[in-house]
Amino acid sequence: MPLTADSALIRRLMVRPGSAGEDWSPVPASPAAVSAVLRAFGRSPRDLPVRTVVYVGAHAPDPSLAPEHEGFAVRTASAPGRALRLAHQELHDGTADFALVAGFDEPEVGTITVYAVKRAAEAVADGDTVLGTLDLTTAGPDAAPELKALVHGHRATDPGRHRLLLWSGRDERDEQRVRGELLPLLSALHHEAFPALPTTVPCGTEPGPVRGAAVTVAALSAAMVHKAKAVTATRPRPVALLFPGQGSQHHAMAAGLYGREPVFTAAFDAALSHMGDEGPRIRADWLTDGRPLIPIDDVRRAQPLLFAVDYALGRMVIGWGVRPTAVLGHSAGELVAATIAGAVALPDAVTMVMERVRQAVKIPPGGMLAVAAEEERLRPYLRDDVAIAAVNANQQTMLAGSAEPLAEIAGRLRADGLTVVTVPATSPFHSPAMAPASEAVEAAYRNIPLRPPVLPLYSGYTGELLRPEEALSPRFWARQITDTVYFKQALESLLAADDMLLIEAGPRQTLTAFARRHRAVRLGASTAVPLLPGRPGTAEADRQSVLTAAARLWTEGHVLSPVALSALWTWRAEPDTGHGAAATPQLAAATS
């Protein structure tokens, strides 16, 4: 069951203002108290989400308490329970993204209990520790909601699913010893017990530098472990996440992870929950076995789905314990990069995507072409509103424009012996044809709260590290509809900073292919790893590809969460009834 209707309690703290030994008296709900609430969990107010709201539950708030304090909205309610209910309502109305609820004189006179509450799907996607979800069925508007344990999915027991086996040793001899102990265990193990094996061997110790990994099913596990090559990990290269844009989409992209990986599922649901009534229709077209209501290549499906899939993949990798040092998006993927980097909140990013879509459908049909040629060679062919849409790599350039002139240019290019591929797109993004849409989008973006990124974000529109003034400019984000994407230069800037492990968080491996043309990747100084298969396939192929990427991170030397990784073969959204084992809640919450 999706978590999008629930509110999650992620922190709770009780404080007693005043000096030790004083008689406890009622705590006034004053501006000074609200300042303390904003800092209750050790964070500076400037680090809180933009739409943080403070909810004061007190019988008699101080008359000097204003509806805004230190730049944050303040709401008052007559009781802590009423304040928690108001927070839940506004979180799901979109008025608030993060709630700090202060119960004055709760649980007793002289104390303040501070609750940190957010939408449950986003709490799971962000890796927060969820203490429980608010049970709003408790009688009475003033009664404090009880906490329910978070139940997000069930245990899966299918030994036919691929899983990951990771092992390590202090040196080559130690790795051979560990592998030698693992092999007879796998050979003698009953297949039904295969999913329950530990993710990493040996258990409970720091992983060594000599590492091995196998992606396998139960029947082949011993053979796969035997033939796996051990790798000595010295200094793991920092990770940069790459997010592809329109043209990479295909039907059911990454659907093999939906309902089978908890963070991906929660993040995808969270993104679609902000798409309003269109969200369920987008999901239905993504998952349908028949003909979708709107084709996947239509901008009304391609851009929202790519955003949700890219974002969910990025959150999943971060949930493994990977901390990216940089992000880079291509075209619409730059907005995903901005979300992961903290420049824009998830609800606002979705608003920006949907506004792009609304304005794009007003533009006459057009398209995009991928041409195996350099930018300068193609300029003499341009006419009318056809323009250079993207410079992706050596001999990898894209054109975009209105349908008729673009078709004529495609014919001329083919006649001259150039390789031309039609990109799956129905709108002429990154061309002057989109100028009216860009102007309308800019006006809408002025209402979006923007921040400088907290992670280095390399922009495909400048080819450089995004500057704070660009991140804060509605015009910068709006012009991405018309401006050329300089992915080649942005990747050059990124790889000039350090040798990188590039992880493509999106479908089709398009950016991986571009990166592998770069000299640093060809020489092995950096490497590019895709999360998803290069072409549409089965649900199991999606999971196998993700596991292979995780194995690559392990052998690179990164520290990964065994619990998070094991969800790929031990979790499913619905009860697993195929093997007779009782389904049990996987992510039961702590109580405090």
Side-chain angles (χ1 to χ4, degrees):
M1 182 177 178
L3 300 173
T4 50
D6 293 331
S7 295
L9 176 65
I10 61 170
R11 298 288 299 276
R12 179 171 54 191
L13 177 68
M14 188 178 74
V15 296
R16 289 182 181 271
S19 303
E22 289 184 0
D23 292 333
W24 302 120
S25 56
V27 181
S30 63
V34 172
S35 291
V37 169
L38 287 168
R39 296 162 175 81
F41 299 109
R43 296 172 69 180
S44 167
R46 68 173 178 270
D47 296 328
L48 293 171
V50 172
R51 281 198 198 83
T52 295
V53 178
V54 178
Y55 298 85
V56 173
H59 295 294
D62 190 319
S64 66
L65 188 59
E68 184 176 303
H69 184 76
E70 295 191 46
F72 296 98
V74 178
R75 313 268 196 267
T76 57
S78 59
R82 193 178 286 269
L84 280 164
R85 293 169 186 274
L86 178 59
H88 167 81
Q89 177 184 329
E90 294 197 349
L91 283 168
H92 292 277
D93 286 347
T95 310
D97 290 338
F98 185 66
L100 289 170
V101 182
F104 284 76
D105 295 318
E106 184 203 23
E108 58 188 30
V109 172
T111 64
I112 305 173
T113 299
V114 185
Y115 306 88
V117 186
K118 64 194 293 187
R119 290 177 287 265
E122 289 167 41
V124 172
D126 293 345
D128 295 313
T129 299
V130 176
L131 304 181
T133 59
L134 302 184
D135 182 357
L136 299 172
T137 62
T138 307
D142 289 344
E146 294 183 3
L147 278 186
K148 300 184 298 184
L150 173 72
V151 178
H152 180 41
H154 305 268
R155 177 162 289 278
T157 58
D158 183 1
R161 288 175 65 175
H162 285 84
R163 63 154 292 169
L164 196 55
L165 291 169
L166 306 175
W167 64 94
S168 68
R170 296 183 299 274
D171 50 35
E172 291 183 5
R173 178 175 295 180
D174 193 42
E175 184 275 329
Q176 291 170 3
R177 177 191 62 79
V178 172
R179 191 193 308 229
E181 293 174 355
L182 181 59
L183 283 171
L185 173 64
L186 293 172
S187 299
L189 189 71
H190 192 282
H191 286 187
E192 293 290 339
F194 183 64
L197 278 177
T199 305
T200 58
V201 179
C203 304
T205 62
E206 287 292 321
V210 183
R211 300 187 175 193
V215 177
T216 181
V217 294
L220 302 175
S221 58
M224 295 298 289
V225 168
H226 177 74
K227 73 176 186 179
K229 292 183 178 179
V231 177
T232 300
T234 51
R235 184 186 75 92
R237 287 168 289 193
V239 171
L241 295 178
L242 308 182
F243 300 101
Q246 185 153 344
S248 299
Q249 74 280 350
H250 62 77
H251 177 66
M253 54 186 171
L257 302 175
Y258 188 67
R260 304 301 290 266
E261 203 288 331
V263 173
F264 178 92
T265 302
F268 187 92
D269 284 341
L272 261 66
S273 73
H274 297 297
M275 297 180 188
D277 293 340
E278 194 67 7
R281 292 191 283 268
I282 290 171
R283 182 190 286 104
D285 280 350
W286 176 52
L287 296 175
T288 183
D289 291 330
R291 178 176 294 180
L293 182 67
I294 296 176
I296 187 68
D297 293 336
D298 188 293
V299 66
R300 293 171 291 174
R301 290 295 178 264
Q303 296 230 349
L305 277 173
L306 275 169
F307 179 90
V309 166
D310 286 8
Y311 173 75
L313 288 169
R315 296 297 340 170
M316 179 186 70
V317 172
I318 292 170
W320 295 344
V322 175
R323 295 295 174 260
T325 58
V327 290
L328 167 59
H330 186 287
S331 184
E334 185 154 317
L335 198 49
V336 183
T339 309
I340 295 292
V344 60
L346 174 64
D348 295 318
V350 172
T351 296
M352 294 169 78
V353 171
M354 300 308 282
E355 185 61 29
R356 283 182 178 181
V357 171
R358 275 189 289 272
Q359 299 304 326
V361 296
K362 300 176 183 179
I363 304 299
M368 307 178 80
L369 302 173
V371 188
E374 297 293 338
E375 175 184 4
E376 292 307 315
R377 184 174 180 187
L378 298 179
R379 289 200 174 277
Y381 291 88
L382 305 182
R383 71 175 184 85
D384 298 342
D385 60 13
V386 178
I388 302 293
V391 181
N392 294 321
N394 293 332
Q395 301 287 316
Q396 294 288 312
T397 306
M398 294 175 66
L399 305 180
S402 298
E404 184 179 342
L406 191 67
E408 188 272 334
I409 290 172
R412 289 169 52 204
L413 290 168
R414 290 186 176 107
D416 289 347
L418 293 174
T419 300
V420 180
V421 176
T422 300
V423 175
T426 58
S427 298
F429 282 101
H430 311 302
S431 79
M434 297 296 292
S438 176
E439 293 170 5
V441 162
E442 182 179 353
Y445 285 7
R446 294 192 188 110
N447 298 318
I448 299 291
L450 300 167
R451 284 182 167 181
V454 295
L455 275 178
L457 191 165
Y458 287 82
S459 172
Y461 295 91
T462 65
E464 304 292 341
L465 197 62
L466 187 70
R467 301 194 305 268
E469 59 269 27
E470 292 164 339
L472 297 173
S473 167
R475 182 169 177 77
F476 171 81
W477 297 104
R479 285 190 57 84
Q480 293 187 357
I481 293 175
T482 56
D483 286 359
T484 302
V485 177
Y486 290 102
F487 182 80
K488 176 184 176 181
Q489 180 55 48
L491 183 65
E492 181 71 39
S493 299
L494 171 62
L495 296 182
D498 201 347
D499 297 335
M500 291 282 180
L501 180 60
L502 306 170
I503 302 292
E504 182 176 4
R508 281 204 195 274
Q509 305 184 5
T510 305
L511 302 188
T512 299
F514 294 156
R516 286 173 177 169
R517 288 173 171 261
H518 192 282
R519 186 171 183 270
V521 177
R522 293 200 316 271
L523 294 177
S526 293
T527 193
V529 178
L531 280 175
L532 292 177
R535 60 190 60 164
T538 64
E540 188 65 14
D542 285 346
R543 294 188 288 270
Q544 188 175 358
S545 184
V546 167
L547 289 168
T548 301
R552 185 67 185 82
L553 283 161
W554 169 260
T555 56
E556 178 76 17
H558 287 277
V559 177
L560 305 178
S561 165
V563 173
L565 286 174
S566 68
L568 279 158
W569 61 88
T570 62
W571 184 91
R572 62 189 303 153
E574 301 300 327
D576 184 357
T577 59
H579 295 271
T584 57
Q586 170 110 2
L587 297 179
T591 57
S592 181

